[in-house]
Each structure stands twice: as structure tokens, then as C-alpha cells.
Amino acid sequence: MTAEDAIALEEVPLADLRGQPALWQSFLGVQTPWLEAGVTRWLDLVRPEGPWPAFVMGALRPGQPQRLLGTIVGIWAPTAVSRFDDLLEGRCPTGHGGSDRPDGGVWHFIAATVGPEGEGLNLGRRLVGAALDWLVAHTPHAEARTLSPAVGLPRLLTLLPEQDAVREAVLHVANAKGQPALEILRLHLGAGATLDAILPESRRDEVRSGRVTLRFAYATDPAARDAQKARYQAWLARRAAQIAAGAARPLGEAWLVADSADTDVAAV
């Protein structure tokens, strides 16, 4: 059995999460990168009586149910959310909340986070897959999106004085392998998502992203996700070939790869 095999991916009931001090402290330990950046308001969403329906998936070692290695959180809304702060400043308009499980609508994945003990186990993408499996099992008519901060975007923008620099930085700044410079794109596009929207001024407490949220869309059908992964890999290969051929603009240690079929991976 490999180290990856020896991990259980399970729903963590909200009542247990908030009612068991050791489990809650373990959850907070995984969220250290968020907490250190002052991104804490979203923690109010993961309560049984919270303002929107929510679920938490955790990565745990068997026999250690209060020791989380990684987490992903799902927040439900009747339609796709375009401003992350709406979740923090309002309540679900249908009257659902916390532990409710309405079908239809849209589950938004947030806080896909891996703690130090879980590094090197491919937990980020595995947690996304477990969350999608949970969605299909519990609310099969719902859609799947993420609300992901574009962490690292402000630094990339300093390289791009051009108009529409945000989209350029997100989609066209690459490393030497042709991969997106922003790690969050590598996580979700590599797991079979498409970039659904770039949402500026949508999260006031996330300065690491320049207050920009990236919304990714996931198909709930595994075969469709596998096909999308193949399109993403082909997109990367074309970009890498452009860099190797000298057809990309150098930006220090990064590259601006402008001639790529973005529609293969993005709807924006």
C-alpha cells in the first residue's frame, strides 16, 4: 500500500467539525496559510446553522479521525456566484443554510488546502475529485464551480503594463514548460476544470490575489473531466513548443505566450 492509498477522503459533518475541539483545531491548522494572510471571514460558513448550505471533505489517516491532512469546502447557492463576498455578507436567498442539502443549484468549492503532513500525496486534486463524487451522490442535479483566489496575480501584473493585463496574466504568463504561472490554474485545469470567469473586486480581504477570484467549472461526469484534462495537456504542449521555438516574449523567469487556443481551457 502506498502513502497515497493510506489516506481516507471523507465528509466531515459540520456538527462534528464545530463540536469537537480537537477536530476544529486540526481544521484550523490546515487553514494556516489563509489565517496568516488574514483571510478568516469564510470560517463562519462552516457551521451547522451557517448562512448557506455547506459541506467539508477531509483527508485523514485511517484510525485518526481528528487529524486532518487536507480539506475542501463546498458552499451551495441557487445560481453561480460572481462575488465571493456575497457569501460572507448575506444569506442564501432560498432560506437554506448549514447542513441543508438542496438539489439543483451550484456547489462552489473553496479552501482546497493541504497541510504540511499531506504534502506530496496529490491531495489537492484528490480532494476535488472526492468533493465531486460527494456532489453526485448527494445532489446529483447540482453543478460544480470553484471560487478560487488568484494568489500571486499582483506580482504578475507588474510584468504586464498592457491593457487587459489581468486576463493576460491569468491565461498567458507561463513557466518554461508552458504551464500557467498561477498555481491555482495548474491545480484546477489539471484536474479537468475549465476557467469559467475572472471576477475582479470580488473578495476584499484577499490582497494576495489583488481581490480577484477565478471561477472554475467542473463537469460532474468523470469521462468529461478526463477529456478536458487531455485538452489541457495539448494546450500546454502547444505553449511549450512556442517557448522552445522562440515565439514567446520573455518576462524574467516567465514567458508571455499569446498565441494559444484559450477556448480549449477557458470560457473567458
Side-chain angles (χ1 to χ4, degrees):
M1 178 181 291
T2 68
E4 289 189 19
D5 294 331
I7 301 295
L9 302 175
E10 302 175 356
E11 181 183 4
V12 180
L14 297 180
D16 292 350
L17 184 68
R18 299 307 291 251
Q20 299 180 16
L23 182 59
W24 178 242
Q25 289 305 310
S26 179
F27 179 83
L28 293 179
V30 170
Q31 315 311 325
T32 295
W34 302 96
L35 305 185
E36 290 182 344
V39 182
T40 60
R41 292 189 298 157
W42 67 272
L43 294 172
D44 194 49
L45 300 174
V46 289
R47 296 180 292 118
E49 69 284 5
W52 304 79
F55 74 87
V56 175
M57 296 293 299
L60 310 99
R61 296 194 188 280
Q64 300 179 24
Q66 298 202 337
R67 188 176 176 184
L68 292 165
L69 306 181
T71 62
I72 190 169
V73 174
I75 306 296
W76 185 90
T79 58
V81 170
S82 295
R83 182 174 176 270
F84 183 84
D85 284 356
D86 286 346
L87 298 175
L88 309 177
E89 298 166 0
R91 300 190 67 88
C92 183
T94 63
H96 294 96
S99 298
D100 293 336
R101 299 290 180 257
D103 203 356
V106 183
W107 284 100
H108 301 79
F109 301 154
I110 66 171
T113 316
V114 176
E117 286 189 74
E119 292 180 358
L121 299 176
N122 194 31
L123 287 185
R125 291 180 184 173
R126 293 177 65 196
L127 282 162
V128 170
L132 288 163
D133 290 344
W134 181 98
L135 184 158
V136 170
H138 292 83
T139 57
H141 299 102
E143 297 178 7
R145 298 287 190 276
T146 81
L147 293 172
S148 304
V151 173
L153 178 61
R155 182 184 65 82
L156 296 186
L157 291 177
T158 65
L159 306 176
L160 296 169
E162 295 91 344
Q163 192 174 17
D164 198 20
V166 169
R167 185 178 185 278
E168 284 286 280
V170 169
L171 282 174
H172 295 154
V173 178
N175 63 21
K177 297 179 180 179
Q179 298 168 321
L182 294 179
E183 183 179 356
I184 194 66
L185 272 91
R186 299 197 296 270
L187 169 63
H188 289 300
L189 296 182
T194 56
L195 180 61
D196 185 52
I198 299 173
L199 305 171
E201 296 301 327
S202 58
R203 49 196 320 144
R204 66 175 172 84
D205 58 353
E206 183 50 276
V207 296
R208 299 173 302 170
S209 70
R211 301 181 179 84
V212 173
T213 299
L214 303 180
R215 192 175 71 203
F216 294 89
Y218 275 94
T220 55
D221 175 26
R225 294 200 299 276
D226 286 342
Q228 183 55 40
K229 291 177 189 177
R231 283 189 285 272
Y232 171 62
Q233 292 300 323
W235 183 72
L236 294 184
R238 290 194 298 271
R239 288 155 57 100
Q242 286 181 280
I243 293 170
R249 188 174 112 198
L251 300 170
E253 296 182 358
W255 302 85
L256 183 64
V257 189
D259 183 19
S260 54
D262 297 330
T263 53
D264 282 354
V265 299
V268 296

